Amino acid sequence: MNPSSRTNRRTSLFAILVLSLFTAAQAFGKAEEEAETRYQGAPSGIDPTTIKEMIDTEGPPMTVDEFNIAKQVYFERCAGCHGVLRKGATGKPLTTDITRARGSVYLKTFITYGSPAGMPNWGSSGEMNEAEVDMMARYLQHEPPTPPEWGMAEMRGSWKLLVDPKDRPKKKMNKYDIDNLFSVTLRDTGQVALIDGDSKDIINIVNTGYAVHISRMSASGRYLFVVGRDAKVNLIDMWMEKPDNVAEIKIGLEARSVETSKYKGFEDKFAIAGSYWPPQYVIMDGNTLEPKTIVSTRGMTVDTQDYHPEPRVAAIVASHEHPEFIVNVKETGKILLVNYEDIDNLSVTTIPAARFLHDGGWDATHRYFLTAANQSDKIAVVDSRERKLTAMIDVDKIPHPGRGANFVHKQYGPVWGTSALGNNKITLIGTDPKGHPQHAWKVVEVLKGQGGGSLFIKTHPKSKHLYVDTPLNPSEKISQSIAVFDIDNLDKGYKVLPIAEWAKLGEGPKRVVQPEYNKAGDEVWFSVWSGKEQESALVIVDDKTLKLKKVIKHEKLITPTGKFNVFNTVNDVY
């Protein structure tokens, strides 16, 4: 047998062994571990047609058509986990030094059967046929195509000032209680629904970017900022008779985060948005979205000190202690304190934390920022007053707090909580270094919820309840309901609210996601999120009685996900 034949035989035998191990592991039942992959693996906001072709002669043969099809598939299904440049994040790196060494047989096995660590079984599930699996295995052995950069010229070219500030209302022109309005993401239509929290009527459906990720309010409560995954930022004037867009800009090709200045004397003055590609953030005029300065986040990782070409900007919050934005850089694990007092001479303080920084929020005093390094299974705590790292706290698998939840624990005092994608645990961390120093920045209690796959945990200063969603849990019963804890009786466990059942919808996944309180703190709103062609709804629960209060349905209420109450968003109430 020649050396080439022996090598092929060893590769085939190894692939069979891998297949057997994966099949056994999957039968063992680790579906919850795929939750993060399914969440991050949503389509990228980058248009694959803009990507530079990189058909490499060292990779297996591919036609131009095959390469273009594979490129589209990668950006729709893979880039969210493995990165645009395949350097890895939630998923493992897929650079050519790795993929070529593994070879086509190995790669086809992984793509077909997945892995118990979270890689979906694209082939055996029927989502890819044998030819498509083979095509993707060959594609991964070519150099990754690189999206174009997006600098000041491109930003200014995309910037549209739809209504000049001098032509906008000088006073509020509607009768709505703006503090109790909700901005509701209509994920698959590229819109947000503005809903009156009092009447429950839809005020306006506003066109925005693709798959809006978050809504943020200016410090005054007048302006609403939304950012889509396609990196389009919209500015909506809530004083108009019918609130609508007054400016827009595209700050990159893919993004998740936007925030506005809140420090005294700088209210409404600046906005900031961070992008996944290119890896950078931009500071803009808060009233017009005119771009002022762009800063790249490419650099060295905090652990191995290796250069990373694609460190994406995740959560951004506005400091209440200094004229600063706090910026999470995901892949490098660095937290940046970006001082906007003089943007012509920008000052940035770098705080090394841990990879891979994602989401987070303030403690009840708005002094300490707690944020998840999700794949490192840690919570980092930043003292925004002293401008330094206070603690790194070990937690369980894949914390995903949203902005977290603050309440006073009857035994441990003020705490902040996070749920998780990777397990059913709700972790409570002490946040009062003066009143309860023995518990500060320690895990004081771990509650057991319904299961993994949680995206948001929520409570309110006027509430005695803690709500935990599980929209990415593989069980329909769990993903379509909410767990509610009595804050004063946490040891009694949780009560389940059948939110999707109350919505009385037809076919569809009906995932229940993101609890959000109204201004008064006596109602909790939930999205019942089905497919684009299926009926969805918002379900409102009376926080005192935990009874159904209202179901909002509308033909234009398509794939609702995130909801952001104006008052709570302005004041960082959670």
Side-chain angles (χ1 to χ4, degrees):
M1 184 180 291
N2 63 45
S4 176
S5 297
R6 284 196 298 271
T7 299
N8 289 337
R9 185 181 179 190
R10 284 197 300 270
T11 302
S12 297
L13 289 172
F14 179 70
I16 292 170
L17 176 61
V18 170
L19 166 59
S20 300
L21 290 172
F22 284 169
T23 302
Q26 286 174 321
F28 202 69
K30 294 190 175 183
E32 286 186 4
E33 295 187 16
E34 295 185 9
E36 169 75 347
T37 300
R38 291 196 299 274
Y39 176 54
Q40 296 289 352
S44 167
I46 298 176
D47 180 359
T49 62
T50 66
I51 308 303
K52 181 182 178 183
E53 303 298 343
M54 294 287 286
I55 301 180
D56 193 303
T57 55
E58 294 184 35
M62 294 193 80
T63 67
V64 173
D65 285 345
E66 283 181 322
F67 191 88
N68 287 333
I69 292 170
K71 180 173 66 176
Q72 180 82 32
V73 171
Y74 183 84
F75 276 86
E76 287 183 350
R77 297 182 175 179
C78 315
C81 283
H82 297 285
V84 170
L85 301 181
R86 305 188 201 151
K87 293 291 185 178
T90 301
K92 298 292 186 183
L94 294 173
T95 48
T96 53
D97 60 318
I98 296 171
T99 58
R100 289 173 184 170
R102 295 290 188 266
S104 293
V105 174
Y106 182 98
L107 292 171
K108 285 193 287 187
T109 302
F110 265 101
I111 296 169
T112 299
Y113 298 99
S115 81
M119 171 74 174
N121 54 329
W122 296 113
S124 62
S125 68
E127 294 190 58
M128 290 186 191
N129 60 36
E130 188 174 343
E132 290 170 329
V133 169
D134 177 73
M135 177 182 65
M136 293 307 297
R138 287 181 284 131
Y139 173 78
L140 292 176
Q141 295 173 73
H142 290 271
E143 291 298 331
T146 304
E149 297 296 319
W150 194 267
M152 186 60 76
E154 289 80 7
M155 285 193 198
R156 295 197 72 88
S158 72
W159 174 50
K160 296 178 182 178
L161 185 59
L162 304 173
V163 182
D164 192 282
K166 65 182 176 57
D167 298 324
R168 296 175 196 169
K170 301 299 185 286
K171 62 180 181 179
K172 189 164 77 79
M173 300 301 292
N174 58 64
K175 296 182 179 180
Y176 303 117
D177 177 4
I178 292 178
D179 278 352
N180 201 32
L181 293 188
F182 287 76
S183 174
V184 180
T185 298
L186 305 182
R187 180 184 171 94
D188 294 337
T189 64
Q191 298 172 318
V192 295
L194 302 180
I195 301 180
D196 182 2
D198 297 329
S199 69
K200 314 300 189 287
D201 293 333
I202 296 176
I203 295 170
N204 198 14
I205 303 288
V206 182
N207 292 326
T208 60
Y210 160 75
V212 166
H213 195 64
I214 58 171
S215 297
R216 291 289 180 260
M217 296 299 307
S218 67
S220 68
R222 173 172 182 172
Y223 290 113
L224 170 67
F225 297 78
V226 297
V227 61
R229 291 185 65 150
D230 59 357
K232 184 178 180 181
V233 178
N234 289 77
L235 178 64
I236 298 169
D237 187 353
M238 306 296 275
W239 278 14
M240 297 170 70
E241 186 174 354
K242 180 183 284 189
D244 210 337
N245 286 313
V246 293
E248 64 181 49
I249 189 173
K250 192 170 171 61
I251 58 96
L253 299 180
E254 185 172 7
R256 299 293 189 280
S257 52
V258 68
E259 182 61 289
T260 69
S261 52
K262 291 186 175 181
Y263 188 69
K264 186 176 181 180
F266 290 88
E267 297 92 340
D268 295 21
K269 186 171 183 179
F270 294 114
I272 184 174
S275 58
Y276 270 26
W277 188 271
Q280 62 192 28
Y281 58 86
V282 57
I283 297 176
M284 303 163 283
D285 184 284
N287 291 287
T288 67
L289 298 185
E290 180 182 6
K292 296 296 185 181
T293 187
I294 305 170
V295 181
S296 172
T297 55
R298 292 181 171 103
M300 314 308 284
T301 61
V302 296
D303 42 15
T304 59
Q305 297 289 301
D306 291 325
Y307 177 75
H308 201 294
E310 192 189 347
R312 300 175 286 184
V313 177
I316 303 176
V317 296
S319 174
H320 300 268
E321 299 283 347
H322 298 279
E324 291 179 335
F325 295 117
I326 302 180
V327 178
N328 277 353
V329 184
K330 194 179 185 80
E331 278 75 16
T332 57
K334 295 176 180 178
I335 300 172
L336 308 180
L337 308 183
V338 181
N339 190 296
Y340 51 75
E341 194 167 15
D342 180 2
I343 64 170
D344 293 325
N345 298 281
L346 198 66
S347 173
V348 181
T349 299
T350 301
I351 299 177
R355 304 167 76 187
F356 295 83
L357 293 167
H358 189 60
D359 219 348
W362 296 106
D363 79 310
T365 68
H366 297 162
R367 173 175 174 174
Y368 297 98
F369 176 56
L370 295 94
T371 187
N374 56 15
Q375 288 296 320
S376 296
D377 302 329
K378 295 180 184 293
I379 298 293
V381 184
V382 172
D383 182 343
S384 67
R385 181 178 300 169
E386 299 297 328
R387 307 173 72 251
K388 64 182 182 181
L389 186 70
T390 295
M392 291 294 299
I393 305 165
D394 291 324
V395 295
D396 279 300
K397 191 172 177 60
I398 318 178
H400 195 283
R403 296 201 126 186
N406 291 294
F407 64 92
V408 178
H409 193 289
K410 64 180 181 182
Q411 181 176 353
Y412 302 111
V415 297
W416 177 91
T418 178
S419 53
L421 278 161
N423 55 57
N424 67 348
K425 296 178 180 179
I426 297 100
T427 302
L428 305 182
I429 296 168
T431 60
D432 184 16
K434 288 188 176 180
H436 299 78
Q438 70 276 31
H439 303 311
W441 319 130
K442 298 175 183 176
V443 175
V444 295
E445 186 170 2
V446 178
L447 310 174
K448 288 188 177 181
Q450 291 197 86
S454 175
L455 293 179
F456 297 100
I457 178 174
K458 190 62 68 79
T459 188
H460 189 279
K462 297 181 180 178
S463 174
K464 290 298 182 182
H465 293 120
L466 176 68
Y467 297 84
V468 184
D469 71 9
T470 41
L472 299 183
N473 193 280
S475 166
E476 285 190 0
K477 183 178 180 181
I478 295 175
S479 67
Q480 295 181 2
S481 60
I482 284 286
V484 188
F485 291 85
D486 181 342
I487 288 172
D488 292 331
N489 296 282
L490 293 172
D491 56 332
K492 290 186 177 181
Y494 58 84
K495 180 177 181 178
V496 175
L497 302 186
I499 302 296
E501 180 183 321
W502 286 347
K504 298 187 184 302
L505 301 174
E507 293 183 353
K510 297 186 284 289
R511 291 164 290 196
V512 176
V513 63
Q514 204 216 25
E516 176 73 346
Y517 283 82
N518 64 344
K519 174 186 174 182
D522 58 10
E523 291 178 355
V524 189
W525 293 39
F526 301 90
S527 296
V528 185
W529 170 25
S530 282
K532 187 175 181 179
E533 305 301 325
Q534 298 159 328
E535 188 179 34
S536 294
L538 298 177
V539 172
I540 302 172
V541 172
D542 186 308
D543 180 62
K544 304 297 182 186
T545 65
L546 301 182
K547 301 295 184 183
L548 175 64
K549 188 170 183 178
K550 175 80 174 179
V551 176
I552 302 176
K553 295 181 182 179
H554 194 281
E555 61 181 6
K556 293 186 177 181
L557 201 62
I558 299 169
T559 58
T561 52
K563 300 163 301 303
F564 302 88
N565 174 268
V566 169
F567 180 85
N568 294 334
T569 304
V570 169
N571 294 284
D572 291 313
V573 176
Y574 38 82

